[in-house]
Amino acid sequence: MKDALAAAAQESYGRIVATLIRVTGDWDLAEDCAQEALATALEKWPGEGVPANPGGWLMTVARNRAIDVLRRATVEQRKLREVLLLSAEAKESEEWDDDRLRLIFTCCHPALSLEARVALTLRTVCGVPTGEIARVFLVAEPTMTRRLTRAKTKISTANIPYRVPSGPALSERLPGVLAVIYLLFTRGYTNDGEPAFADEAIRLARLLRRLMPDQPEAAGLLALCLLQHSRRRARRDAAGHLLTLDQQDRTLWDHEAIASGLALLPTAGRGAYATQAHIAAEHTRSPADWPAIAGWYDHLVALQPTPVVRLNRAVAHGFAYGPARGLDLLAEARAGGALDGYAPASAAEAELTARLGDRIRAELLFRTAADETTSPAERHALLGRATEMEDA
């Protein structure tokens, strides 16, 4: 029963909140009514059974609760009539989707800080409990509650419109929405991340792709998330230690997700997310086509000439055209000190140096990278590589 409620909540929570925000203009009321609908379901469904339309049932309960609250608050009749006319069944397929899209764009408005955008999206669109969000952001739950309250207050006081932008404004705003979803994904996909957050990001990426089928970067983002996430179960051994790509058991990969990601690539364009998706796609092949990967990184660095992208490009060229070439590009990426103290840069230099045959220096670099990382799993893996260099 709890599984049925969890599935219904995941599918319907954001739609309920989004619709009630549109109708009432009250974020807190919308969230409270959605939560009360879920609590009512948990109370009634074990005895009455799961309804044929769980989402519609939850919407009706939440709507009726909103009506009761508004009546007691003597809200103006126009707003009350709008709530009374709200129909879960009549508008479920079209209006709910429009509401969710409005909610996503509102939560991801550039007037809010990036952290606030991610947290607000998790809370209102995905229904993730505040305590879980606080844990990932490494703050106390009351602190996160205050941050969410401030974000919603800013939306109100700054008169941030509850709508999806159109025309040039859409082109300006969409990258910010995609960035929030991808940041949410990476918070779940990183070695010590919260897997459920990656799942939520993929769900949002699917929704965005379905609601905005004419936006290539939405397809690119979804493809990237699916292809990267497909390898998650194979990234650690039975003891929980990290495995490199060549060490992974490919039978543990999610091949359905890989197929879905590959199918999106023809419509994904050549933007930054699509380019990274093409790189991830190459990594699903055995053996990997490193010259092709290097070519995609050449394209990506033209789009995003950041030190981290340049670092990854150096590694790809090192595997494609020899470690000396990779080390030369890595030295260029390090220029200016942007990668100083960055564990992946030291690890990349260590790997390329080992391939060049200088195991003594490679061991030192692996140990340097282990000291620089904050991830226990990465530290264990890097020290393991240092030991391999020492024992060789």
Side-chain angles (χ1 to χ4, degrees):
M1 184 58 64
K2 287 186 177 180
D3 290 342
L5 179 58
Q10 184 181 61
E11 176 63 24
S12 304
Y13 181 88
R15 293 192 295 183
I16 295 170
V17 172
T19 296
L20 290 179
I21 289 174
R22 172 177 56 82
V23 172
T24 68
D26 189 326
W27 287 62
D28 291 331
L29 174 64
E31 291 185 69
D32 289 345
C33 291
Q35 289 291 340
E36 290 194 29
L38 295 177
T40 303
L42 191 59
E43 175 187 342
K44 292 183 174 295
W45 288 6
E48 300 177 2
V50 179
N53 181 2
W57 190 97
L58 290 168
M59 182 69 242
T60 298
V61 173
R63 175 200 61 196
N64 290 339
R65 176 59 180 162
I67 292 171
D68 290 341
V69 172
L70 291 174
R71 277 178 174 155
R72 289 199 301 272
T74 63
V75 174
E76 64 270 21
Q77 290 301 308
R78 179 187 60 80
K79 184 174 289 186
L80 178 57
R81 285 198 301 271
E82 288 178 341
V83 177
L84 289 168
L85 291 172
L86 185 62
S87 168
E89 295 182 2
K91 296 188 177 182
E92 181 175 352
S93 62
E94 180 177 352
E95 189 69 23
W96 280 23
D97 284 344
D98 290 343
D99 284 336
R100 282 190 292 177
L101 201 54
R102 293 185 190 102
L103 183 57
I104 291 171
F105 271 87
T106 303
C107 289
C108 297
H109 196 279
L112 304 174
S113 70
L114 184 56
E115 180 181 282
R117 282 178 256 167
V118 174
L120 200 58
T121 300
L122 282 170
R123 183 70 196 97
T124 60
V125 182
C126 304
V128 177
T130 303
E132 292 185 22
I133 302 172
R135 186 176 67 251
V136 171
F137 281 94
L138 303 178
V139 298
E141 184 172 348
T143 300
M144 180 53 66
T145 299
R146 288 193 294 271
R147 290 181 184 179
L148 290 168
T149 299
R150 284 197 298 268
K152 288 182 282 189
T153 300
K154 185 167 187 176
I155 289 172
S156 176
T157 57
N159 292 319
I160 293 174
Y162 188 61
R163 65 169 182 260
V164 178
S166 59
L170 177 61
S171 299
E172 294 175 3
R173 290 278 305 283
L174 182 59
V177 174
L178 297 174
V180 168
I181 295 175
Y182 189 57
L183 179 58
L184 175 57
F185 175 78
T186 58
R187 283 189 174 273
Y189 184 71
T190 53
N191 295 324
D192 298 307
E194 179 64 48
F197 283 16
D199 294 333
E200 289 293 348
I202 290 174
R203 190 167 68 87
L204 285 176
R206 287 187 189 277
L207 174 63
L208 204 63
R209 164 62 178 164
R210 179 165 63 82
L211 298 181
M212 308 184 78
D214 58 339
Q215 297 294 329
E217 276 291 76
L221 175 62
L222 177 57
L224 173 59
C225 293
L226 288 171
L227 290 166
Q228 287 186 330
H229 202 58
S230 68
R231 302 192 296 267
R232 184 172 187 94
R233 285 197 304 146
R235 295 174 68 201
R236 295 176 183 266
D237 62 18
H241 300 144
L242 289 176
L243 298 173
T244 58
L245 193 61
D246 59 310
Q247 296 172 326
Q248 293 176 12
D249 180 356
R250 291 176 176 245
T251 64
L252 296 177
W253 289 5
D254 185 343
H255 293 280
E256 182 177 343
I258 292 173
S260 297
L262 294 176
L264 287 164
L265 291 180
T267 62
R270 289 175 61 86
Y273 294 114
T275 301
Q276 293 175 78
H278 278 287
I279 292 169
E282 293 295 340
H283 282 302
T284 67
R285 300 184 173 94
S286 182
D289 185 344
W290 281 105
I293 294 172
W296 282 113
Y297 269 116
D298 289 342
H299 180 63
L300 183 60
V301 83
L303 297 173
Q304 295 180 335
T306 66
V308 172
V309 173
R310 291 183 181 277
L311 163 63
N312 293 332
R313 175 176 176 252
V315 174
H317 275 261
F319 277 76
Y321 306 115
R325 169 64 175 162
L327 287 168
D328 286 343
L329 290 176
L330 180 55
E332 294 178 12
R334 282 186 177 278
L339 297 175
D340 290 352
Y342 185 55
S346 297
E349 184 176 356
E351 195 63 56
L352 293 170
T353 300
R355 288 175 173 269
L356 201 60
D358 188 348
R359 293 182 174 271
I360 295 176
R361 175 165 172 72
E363 179 195 346
L364 293 174
L365 287 167
F366 277 123
R367 295 192 185 281
T368 297
D371 289 338
E372 291 170 340
T373 185
T374 59
S375 165
E378 290 177 3
R379 177 176 172 79
H380 182 276
L382 289 165
L383 289 176
R385 288 292 285 139
T387 300
E388 291 175 16
M389 297 297 103
E390 184 179 22
D391 294 342

